[in-house]
Amino acid sequence: MKKRIGLLTSGGDCQALNATMRGVVKGLSNSLDDLEVYGFDDGYKGLIYGKYRMLTSKDFSGILTQGGTILGTSRQPFKLMRVPDEKGLDKVEAMKQTYYKLCLDCLVILGGNGTQKTANLLREEGLNIIHLPKTIDNDIWGTDMTFGFQSAVNIATNAIDCIHTTAASHGRVFIVEVMGHKVGSLTLHAGLAGGADIILIPEIPYDIKKVVDAIKRRAKAGKRFTILAVAEGAISKEEAQLSKKKYKEKLAERAKKYPSVSYEIADKIQKETGNEVRITVPGHTQRGGEPCPYDRVLSTRIGAGAAEAILDEEYGIMVGIVNGKIKRVPLAECAGKLKMVSPKDQTVKAAKRIGISFGD
């Protein structure tokens, strides 16, 4: 049996993209006599403009522990996919023509929510598509875990761990700003693992007075410091009441005065308590470095699961993990859905039980 498959990585990079592609190719090469693999450069951009190269087994050797992506990536917003480029090129039609030109049996797409929506669009256009769920936010509906998440948790947790010693030494309030604009899973898990005293996430709007009260309670109890884990998309209760338009205006105003939400929160805390507040932003380090062992195993399983689906010729799916088992989820069911942190989540309840404040 002969198979021709395409691979592309789209959206933000993360650890374990290479490990996942390796799982796909190794899973196929061990079962097929004839396999051709085409890698598209820089995500959907490579598919649109026909920039690709044939890959061999050597390309997938030694990349299990390598972060980033050997194919490169780019952000191609889903809302612009139906909009012609500056030269009038129909992007969707161009992607289809590249697919048919190479006579692909399947296109394997690794990416997050926006990537998944475009993958579903291509499925609707008649292409054989398999999506593999990548994101450090763990916000893809239909899978319990995304590859890249646990590696990012490790890095964000290490940042909080490192802050503990300096915060204790100086008796300061420290804010560690963790990635996550819409979903707070990364901040929640890193904050809990790192022993943060206050965790602020987008799904649970905060009251700055309650945040300040939590800091004061710690000081009254003889605690020399307080550590806040704040998601970059943290939102106050007042902001949560605004319309989408008004909230965007508020963000624009904030950007004139503060680099991010953490600086605004720090300013308010400092005025209310008189305490020195310091801010640490790990930033893109959370996406970088080698994948942790958990992600290497998860990626290998998801990659092997994709290979099995290709051999079964079952397409139009996302390969995820549910209750510890690899599962094929129809793209039509999961594309466009965001997996949020519920305020009633058991992890949130456990954090509150041990005294962590969410400012609510």
Side-chain angles (χ1 to χ4, degrees):
M1 184 192 302
K2 181 175 183 176
K3 291 286 184 185
R4 289 190 180 92
I5 71 161
L7 286 172
L8 69 81
T9 56
S10 178
D13 65 312
C14 75
Q15 310 86 347
L17 281 163
N18 291 326
T20 309
M21 289 189 285
R22 171 183 177 272
V24 176
V25 174
K26 280 185 171 288
L28 288 172
S29 61
N30 284 329
S31 301
L32 296 172
D33 296 325
D34 196 352
L35 174 67
E36 288 183 7
V37 180
Y38 295 88
F40 293 94
D41 296 334
D42 300 325
Y44 286 118
K45 189 182 293 184
L47 188 63
I48 293 169
Y49 298 106
K51 295 181 179 180
Y52 56 84
R53 61 186 186 274
M54 184 180 287
L55 304 172
T56 68
S57 59
K58 289 183 179 179
D59 292 296
F60 299 95
S61 179
I63 66 170
L64 175 64
T65 62
Q66 184 179 327
T69 164
I70 61 171
L71 296 180
T73 187
S74 65
R75 295 186 185 276
Q76 300 292 315
F78 172 72
K79 64 183 179 181
L80 298 179
M81 278 299 179
R82 292 286 189 186
V83 178
D85 72 1
E86 61 276 6
K87 294 183 179 179
L89 180 69
D90 183 325
K91 298 170 191 171
V92 176
E93 189 60 31
M95 288 190 285
K96 289 165 61 178
Q97 290 305 315
T98 302
Y99 179 97
Y100 292 128
K101 175 185 174 182
L102 294 174
C103 299
L104 297 180
D105 293 294
C106 173
L107 178 61
V108 180
I109 298 171
L110 295 77
N113 292 98
T115 298
Q116 186 186 68
K117 286 191 280 188
T118 298
N120 188 51
L121 182 156
L122 293 175
R123 176 196 66 82
E124 293 173 339
E125 290 290 325
L127 306 190
N128 293 336
I129 302 294
I130 291 180
H131 172 249
L132 306 185
K134 167 246 56 166
T135 167
I136 65 171
D137 297 314
N138 196 30
D139 61 357
I140 295 181
W141 192 91
T143 181
D144 293 343
M145 188 63 64
T146 58
F147 57 88
F149 175 70
Q150 195 59 56
S151 296
V153 168
N154 288 8
I155 294 167
T157 300
N158 183 64
I160 298 172
D161 288 346
C162 291
I163 289 302
H164 266 279
T165 55
T166 187
S169 298
H170 290 276
R172 288 174 177 157
V173 175
F174 263 89
I175 294 176
V176 179
E177 185 175 289
V178 181
M179 281 185 162
H181 281 292
K182 295 180 179 179
V183 176
S185 288
L186 180 55
T187 306
L188 173 62
H189 284 252
L192 190 56
D197 308 296
I198 299 169
I199 297 174
L200 304 182
I201 60 176
E203 296 92 336
I204 306 177
Y206 66 86
D207 181 336
I208 193 64
K209 292 181 180 178
K210 292 188 177 181
V211 172
V212 169
D213 286 344
I215 295 170
K216 289 180 177 179
R217 280 197 304 272
R218 281 183 57 79
K220 190 175 181 180
K223 306 292 186 181
R224 282 176 50 81
F225 67 92
T226 298
I227 294 177
L228 293 79
V230 176
E232 58 187 345
I235 185 172
S236 70
K237 288 190 174 182
E238 293 80 10
E239 291 166 342
Q241 298 300 315
L242 299 175
S243 66
K244 192 172 182 180
K245 180 182 178 181
K246 288 292 184 182
Y247 181 57
K248 283 186 176 180
E249 291 175 358
K250 166 67 168 60
L251 292 180
E253 283 300 311
R254 175 199 289 161
K256 295 177 183 178
K257 188 175 181 182
Y258 303 106
S260 69
V261 65
S262 294
Y263 290 84
E264 182 180 40
I265 292 171
D267 193 22
K268 291 178 179 179
I269 291 173
Q270 199 155 312
K271 287 175 181 176
E272 289 291 328
T273 66
N275 291 334
E276 285 189 87
V277 183
R278 295 290 184 269
I279 299 156
T280 297
V281 184
H284 284 76
T285 63
Q286 293 162 90
R287 294 186 180 279
E290 63 184 24
C292 68
Y294 179 93
D295 272 340
R296 297 178 201 179
V297 174
L298 176 63
S299 295
T300 301
R301 292 183 65 196
I302 287 177
E308 188 174 350
I310 292 169
L311 293 171
D312 291 341
E313 298 185 345
E314 183 175 350
Y315 307 117
I317 60 170
M318 174 188 74
V319 178
I321 186 164
V322 178
N323 295 326
K325 295 183 179 180
I326 295 299
K327 183 178 179 180
R328 301 172 186 176
V329 183
L331 274 172
E333 291 182 11
C334 58
K337 295 181 181 179
L338 200 61
K339 184 176 71 178
M340 313 287 284
V341 175
S342 168
K344 297 180 180 179
D345 185 278
Q346 286 190 346
T347 306
V348 173
K349 288 182 176 180
K352 288 185 174 182
R353 178 68 63 188
I354 65 170
I356 295 174
S357 171
F358 286 78
D360 61 338

